[in-house]
Amino acid sequence: AQSVTQPDIHITVSEGASLELRCNYSYGATPYLFWYVQSPGQGLQLLLKYFSGDTLVQGIKGFEAEFKRSQSSFNLRKPSVHWSDAAEYFCAVGAADSWGKLQFGAGTQVVVTP
Amino acid sequence: KAGVTQTPRYLIKTRGQQVTLSCSPISGHRSVSWYQQTPGQGLQFLFEYFSETQRNKGNFPGRFSGRQFSNSRSEMNVSTLELGDSALYLCASSKIAGADEQFFGPGTRLTVL
């Protein structure tokens, strides 16, 4: 069964500092990987996705993620965070035969301090 | 292009009642998935519909059901509500079958008293 682990429940980062959010997945075949962001009381917004090809993917809002098959990881990074990046971030995995089902991690809450 | 819309945005029900939530996907999207989000269990997949057919179902009791119409709009129904059904219900749409990127609506916040 596929699973997603986000080891960090909560991260505090200073504005202007770099951010890295960890995601590890477990899946037998090649997974499709996603990062979503959720602001309070809102739905989820897709930041970036990995289906195949270049293992370093660029997303919106200055985010990027790197797929490392050997480590079963898909970590999200941003070089310099802005106060507006404070939100909850979810890593998700899907598969070609998953028929619309995404398996989500528990999420990482990011707090940005001045 | 309009995003995924969900109605109502907020709902308060009492135990034992039933509720119907509605989701209108992005124009041209044929797949609709539903998720339940709670603080304790996180985001859990409920079911997915494509061309009016349920193709995948999560691990929820039969009280949770859904359907999709010919215009791709979808509804989910929860019968005999329990306190534990209080959650944010999210609908997501995607263009095609399989693992396409999903676009989420704002959700319906259901509170069961």
Side-chain angles (χ1 to χ4, degrees), chain B residues 48-60:
Chain B
E48 186 260 359
Y49 287 87
F50 184 84
S51 293
E52 301 178 65
T53 300
Q54 183 185 93
R55 299 184 306 167
N56 202 353
K57 190 177 190 306
N59 189 26
F60 279 83

Side-chain angles (χ1 to χ4, degrees), chain B residues 38-94:
Chain B
T38 60
Q41 299 298 316
L43 280 152
Q44 296 186 89
F45 172 78
L46 280 157
F47 29 64
E48 186 260 359
Y49 287 87
F50 184 84
S51 293
E52 301 178 65
T53 300
Q54 183 185 93
R55 299 184 306 167
N56 202 353
K57 190 177 190 306
N59 189 26
F60 279 83
R63 300 185 296 107
F64 291 81
S65 63
R67 60 177 176 169
Q68 187 181 34
F69 302 95
S70 58
N71 62 357
S72 294
R73 189 177 70 85
S74 177
E75 290 181 345
M76 67 163 282
N77 183 276
V78 188
S79 62
T80 319
L81 284 165
E82 300 177 359
L83 295 179
D85 297 332
S86 294
L88 181 66
Y89 289 89
L90 292 164
C91 164
S93 75
S94 60

Side-chain angles (χ1 to χ4, degrees), chain B residues 19-39:
Chain B
V19 67
T20 299
L21 311 182
S22 180
C23 171
S24 292
I26 293 172
S27 177
H29 286 196
R30 297 171 62 191
S31 171
V32 173
S33 297
W34 288 89
Y35 296 84
Q36 181 196 64
Q37 185 177 26
T38 60

Side-chain angles (χ1 to χ4, degrees), chain A residues 39-103:
Chain A
S39 298
Q42 302 297 313
L44 279 72
Q45 181 182 23
L46 179 68
L47 287 174
L48 46 78
K49 62 186 179 185
Y50 174 77
F51 285 179
S52 65
D54 192 349
T55 57
L56 184 64
V57 293
Q58 303 296 321
I60 62 171
K61 304 186 178 186
F63 285 93
E64 67 176 25
E66 186 171 12
F67 171 61
K68 293 185 177 180
R69 185 187 300 277
S70 62
Q71 298 178 21
S72 297
S73 69
F74 188 57
N75 294 349
L76 181 72
R77 298 192 292 258
K78 185 169 184 176
S80 176
V81 298
H82 186 261
W83 63 266
S84 60
D85 293 324
E88 190 156 22
Y89 293 78
F90 294 92
C91 181
V93 62
D97 60 350
S98 64
W99 303 116
K101 175 182 179 180
L102 293 181
Q103 183 79 36

